[in-house]
Short mmCIF file of all heavy atoms in Angstrom, two decimals:
data_model
loop_
_atom_site.label_atom_id
_atom_site.label_comp_id
_atom_site.label_asym_id
_atom_site.label_seq_id
_atom_site.Cartn_x
_atom_site.Cartn_y
_atom_site.Cartn_z
N ARG B 110 -26.27 14.43 -13.73
CA ARG B 110 -26.67 14.98 -14.98
C ARG B 110 -25.53 14.58 -15.95
O ARG B 110 -24.42 14.29 -15.61
CB ARG B 110 -26.76 16.49 -14.99
CG ARG B 110 -27.94 17.00 -14.10
CD ARG B 110 -28.22 18.44 -14.42
NE ARG B 110 -26.91 19.21 -14.40
CZ ARG B 110 -26.42 19.88 -13.49
NH1 ARG B 110 -27.06 19.89 -12.22
NH2 ARG B 110 -25.30 20.50 -13.56
N LEU B 114 -21.62 14.07 -15.29
CA LEU B 114 -21.00 12.81 -15.61
C LEU B 114 -19.79 13.03 -16.62
O LEU B 114 -18.75 12.33 -16.40
CB LEU B 114 -22.03 11.85 -16.28
CG LEU B 114 -21.80 10.41 -16.12
CD1 LEU B 114 -21.59 10.03 -14.69
CD2 LEU B 114 -23.07 9.70 -16.66
N GLY B 156 16.18 21.01 -0.85
CA GLY B 156 17.52 21.71 -0.67
C GLY B 156 18.73 20.74 -0.64
O GLY B 156 19.61 20.92 -1.33
N MET B 162 11.14 9.71 4.52
CA MET B 162 10.38 8.71 3.87
C MET B 162 8.84 8.96 4.03
O MET B 162 8.12 8.89 2.95
CB MET B 162 10.67 7.31 4.49
CG MET B 162 12.08 6.74 4.23
SD MET B 162 12.36 6.14 2.63
CE MET B 162 11.36 4.62 2.61
N ASP B 164 7.25 11.68 4.41
CA ASP B 164 6.81 12.84 3.63
C ASP B 164 6.74 12.49 2.15
O ASP B 164 5.87 12.97 1.43
CB ASP B 164 7.71 14.04 3.92
CG ASP B 164 7.63 14.54 5.36
OD1 ASP B 164 6.59 14.43 5.90
OD2 ASP B 164 8.68 14.91 5.85
N ARG B 173 2.88 3.89 3.37
CA ARG B 173 4.22 3.78 3.90
C ARG B 173 4.94 2.57 3.33
O ARG B 173 6.10 2.63 2.92
CB ARG B 173 4.19 3.60 5.43
CG ARG B 173 3.99 4.91 6.19
CD ARG B 173 4.96 4.85 7.42
NE ARG B 173 4.63 5.54 8.58
CZ ARG B 173 3.69 6.41 8.93
NH1 ARG B 173 2.79 6.68 7.98
NH2 ARG B 173 3.58 6.95 10.09
N LEU B 188 19.88 4.85 -7.53
CA LEU B 188 19.34 6.17 -7.85
C LEU B 188 19.05 6.87 -6.53
O LEU B 188 19.06 8.12 -6.55
CB LEU B 188 18.04 6.06 -8.64
CG LEU B 188 18.10 5.23 -9.98
CD1 LEU B 188 16.76 5.15 -10.70
CD2 LEU B 188 19.19 5.88 -10.86
N THR B 208 24.03 9.45 -9.35
CA THR B 208 23.41 8.67 -10.45
C THR B 208 21.91 9.02 -10.64
O THR B 208 21.46 9.21 -11.76
CB THR B 208 23.57 7.26 -10.26
OG1 THR B 208 24.91 6.89 -9.86
CG2 THR B 208 23.08 6.42 -11.43
N ARG B 225 3.21 18.43 -21.94
CA ARG B 225 2.75 19.42 -22.91
C ARG B 225 1.86 18.87 -23.95
O ARG B 225 0.77 19.36 -24.29
CB ARG B 225 3.96 20.08 -23.56
CG ARG B 225 4.81 21.04 -22.74
CD ARG B 225 5.49 22.01 -23.68
NE ARG B 225 6.56 22.72 -22.81
CZ ARG B 225 6.25 23.64 -21.91
NH1 ARG B 225 5.00 23.96 -21.70
NH2 ARG B 225 7.20 24.28 -21.23
N ALA B 238 -5.30 28.25 -15.88
CA ALA B 238 -5.35 28.82 -14.56
C ALA B 238 -6.60 28.25 -13.82
O ALA B 238 -6.55 27.98 -12.60
CB ALA B 238 -5.50 30.35 -14.69
N ARG B 246 -9.05 23.81 -4.88
CA ARG B 246 -10.25 23.69 -4.12
C ARG B 246 -10.56 22.24 -3.78
O ARG B 246 -10.90 21.90 -2.66
CB ARG B 246 -11.45 24.27 -4.84
CG ARG B 246 -11.63 25.75 -4.69
CD ARG B 246 -12.64 26.30 -5.56
NE ARG B 246 -12.10 26.63 -6.90
CZ ARG B 246 -12.80 26.73 -8.02
NH1 ARG B 246 -14.06 26.44 -8.03
NH2 ARG B 246 -12.21 27.04 -9.17
N GLU B 249 -7.91 20.90 -1.29
CA GLU B 249 -8.05 21.57 -0.01
C GLU B 249 -9.30 21.07 0.82
O GLU B 249 -9.15 20.82 1.98
CB GLU B 249 -8.34 23.09 -0.24
CG GLU B 249 -7.03 23.92 -0.32
CD GLU B 249 -6.06 23.72 0.82
OE1 GLU B 249 -6.48 23.95 1.95
OE2 GLU B 249 -4.92 23.29 0.55
#
Side-chain angles (χ1 to χ4, degrees):
Chain B
R110 293 194 316 264
L114 207 50
M162 293 286 289
D164 296 325
R173 278 223 210 354
L188 304 178
T208 309
R225 285 205 196 288
R246 273 171 275 157
E249 274 306 303

